[in-house]
């Protein structure tokens, strides 16, 4: 049996438990009040991290009032960051957020490496952690549960599991991870609503769920029908005017606006996204550059879109902005 650092483990009723409850409440409030923002990570043309550019970019994202911010996750190219870069990104995010909204940092790979990132995020002042799917291999429910158990034993920060790719929880698996102290929620990227409904029914009261599908707005109405109205928004990374207009219309039951934005903006964006693997991130970054935002290129193995796809993206972006009374130059 591997040795786990259990310094973070504490008995019920301690400050850790109280702190976790407070973070969960802040996340719940944030999810009710705005989209969940997954910022891009800024790189220079030579591929190095451009922290000054990231600070400027993130300041604009937070001015657009997301419910919480998730740095160094999938959209932020976590998989391309070394530990020093990760520390710099999370630290900058905590400093800029300045307690105004929860900061949930991404961690990943196997549990031993995930704990290295978890400790960095804890030192940087993050409020919670999003556990990205582990590297490469499939795993049974017992292994998925133990992965989270190992991570939870080594950090004081609350954990949100992310099921996507090779990670899929059964209802029984969900019950088991929800019983692990510190595991507070699940981000779903599978969009299997039958399975998701079973998971929400199996979860204890207060367990957090949110829609983490690529371009989550496409399925936001469907997720809400199974009790999961909260969602992440990649569009917030480059067009918060559109993301916030959609969120407000969905919240207020304005089906006319929701349908128009889906038909005229989100569906064309998804059809373009589906042309090339990796465009779920590459197109987001390209759209941000079209608005003059200092995010730079993607890192390999991702590739930036070519001229034809970039021209199509510009048309989709301009039309989407026109639907909400904005123009491309009004970058946040």
């Amino acid at each position: 049996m591997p040795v786990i650092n259990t310094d973070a483990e504490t008995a019920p009723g301690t400050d850790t438990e109280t702190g976790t409850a407070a973070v969960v409440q802040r996340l719940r409030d944030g999810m009710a009040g705005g989209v969940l923002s997954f910022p891009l990570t800024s790189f220079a043309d030579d591929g190095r991290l451009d922290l000054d550019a990231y600070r400027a970019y993130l300041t604009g994202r937070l001015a657009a009032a997301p419910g919480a911010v998730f740095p160094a996750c999938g959209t932020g190219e976590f998989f391309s960051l070394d530990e020093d870069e990760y520390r710099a990104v999370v630290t900058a995010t905590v400093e800029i957020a300045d307690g105004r909204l929860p900061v949930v940092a991404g961690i990943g790979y196997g549990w031993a490496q995930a704990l290295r990132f978890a400790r960095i995020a804890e030192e940087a002042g993050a409020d919670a952690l999003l556990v990205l799917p582990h590297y490469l291999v499939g795993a049974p429910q017992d292994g998925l549960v133990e992965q989270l158990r190992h991570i939870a034993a080594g950090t004081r920060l609350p954990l949100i599991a992310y099921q996507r790719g090779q990670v899929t929880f059964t209802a029984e698996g969900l019950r088991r991870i929800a019983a692990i102290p510190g595991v507070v929620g699940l981000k779903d990227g599978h969009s299997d609503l039958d399975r998701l409904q079973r998971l929400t029914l199996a979860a204890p009261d207060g367990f957090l769920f949110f829609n983490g599908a690529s371009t989550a707005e496409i399925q936001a109405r469907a997720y809400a029908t199974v009790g999961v109205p909260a969602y992440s928004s990649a569009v917030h990374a480059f067009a918060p005017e559109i993301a916030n207009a959609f969120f407000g219309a969905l919240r207020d039951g304005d089906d006319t606006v929701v349908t128009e934005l889906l038909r005229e903006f989100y569906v064309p964006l998804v059809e373009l996204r589906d042309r090339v693997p990796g465009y779920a991130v590459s197109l987001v970054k390209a759209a941000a550059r079209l608005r003059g935002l200092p995010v730079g290129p993607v890192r390999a193995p991702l590739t930036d879109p070519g001229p034809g796809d970039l021209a199509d993206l510009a048309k989709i972006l301009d039309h989407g902005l026109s639907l909400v009374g904005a123009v491309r130059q009004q970058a946040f």
Side-chain angles (χ1 to χ4, degrees):
M1 173 70 76
V3 176
I4 307 170
N5 176 1
T6 58
D7 292 344
E9 294 185 303
T10 52
T14 62
D15 289 344
T16 297
E17 186 178 67
T18 301
T20 296
V23 171
V24 169
Q25 187 58 55
R26 291 183 69 208
L27 284 167
R28 183 175 293 108
D29 292 344
M31 289 176 175
V35 300
L36 306 179
S37 177
F38 284 68
L40 299 157
T41 300
S42 298
F43 299 123
D45 289 340
D46 62 4
R48 64 181 174 80
L49 175 66
D50 189 338
L51 194 59
D52 288 341
Y54 176 74
R55 286 177 174 276
Y57 164 76
L58 183 66
T59 298
R61 298 315 88 199
L62 299 193
V69 60
F70 290 67
C73 293
T75 306
E77 297 179 77
F78 166 80
F79 48 84
S80 292
L81 300 176
D82 67 27
E83 291 181 15
D84 289 338
E85 292 170 330
Y86 176 85
R87 183 187 302 275
V89 167
V90 177
T91 298
T93 306
V94 171
E95 290 174 353
I96 293 168
D98 194 27
R100 291 174 292 162
L101 75 173
V103 175
V104 185
I107 62 172
Y109 307 114
W111 67 262
Q113 185 64 38
L115 272 176
R116 292 177 66 93
F117 285 102
R119 289 165 188 150
I120 292 170
E122 188 171 338
E123 292 167 2
D127 297 295
L129 303 168
L130 178 66
V131 184
L132 302 169
H134 62 269
Y135 173 69
L136 190 60
V137 296
Q141 293 296 296
D142 285 349
L144 297 178
V145 173
E146 285 305 303
Q147 163 92 339
L148 287 170
R149 197 184 308 279
H150 287 321
I151 296 171
T155 179
R156 292 181 174 85
L157 296 183
L159 305 179
I160 298 171
Y162 187 7
Q163 65 167 14
R164 190 187 186 98
Q166 69 271 33
V167 176
T168 303
F169 290 102
T170 63
E172 179 57 28
L174 190 283
R175 291 187 190 98
R176 292 170 65 189
I177 67 169
I180 299 171
V183 178
V184 302
L186 179 74
K187 177 184 180 184
D188 176 68
H190 285 304
S191 304
D192 181 339
L193 297 183
D194 178 275
R195 178 184 294 272
L196 184 59
Q197 181 70 90
R198 295 168 189 263
L199 297 183
T200 61
L201 294 173
D205 290 342
F207 197 76
L208 301 174
F209 287 91
F210 66 94
N211 167 6
S214 296
T215 319
E217 286 91 343
I218 287 285
Q219 300 184 66
R221 285 195 289 201
Y223 269 81
T225 65
V226 295
V228 182
Y231 62 90
S232 59
S233 176
V235 170
H236 193 273
F238 65 88
E241 307 98 320
I242 300 173
N244 288 343
F246 183 92
F247 178 86
L250 186 67
R251 177 196 57 205
D252 297 340
D254 190 339
D255 287 337
T256 300
V257 171
V258 168
T259 299
E260 180 183 44
L261 287 172
L262 287 172
R263 181 183 293 120
E264 299 291 325
F265 173 74
Y266 284 100
V267 168
L269 181 66
V270 166
E271 290 174 348
L272 179 57
R273 181 200 73 197
D274 289 346
R275 289 182 189 175
V276 177
Y279 264 17
V281 176
S282 299
L283 281 184
V284 173
K285 221 167 197 187
R289 291 195 302 273
L290 285 171
R291 303 205 72 192
L293 298 171
V295 297
V298 294
R299 277 182 173 173
L302 300 179
T303 58
D304 290 309
D309 288 347
L310 196 61
D312 289 344
L313 176 62
K315 292 176 184 177
I316 293 168
L317 175 59
D318 287 343
H319 184 58
L321 290 168
S322 73
L323 293 173
V324 297
V327 295
R328 196 193 305 176
Q329 289 72 25
Q330 291 179 338
F332 283 75

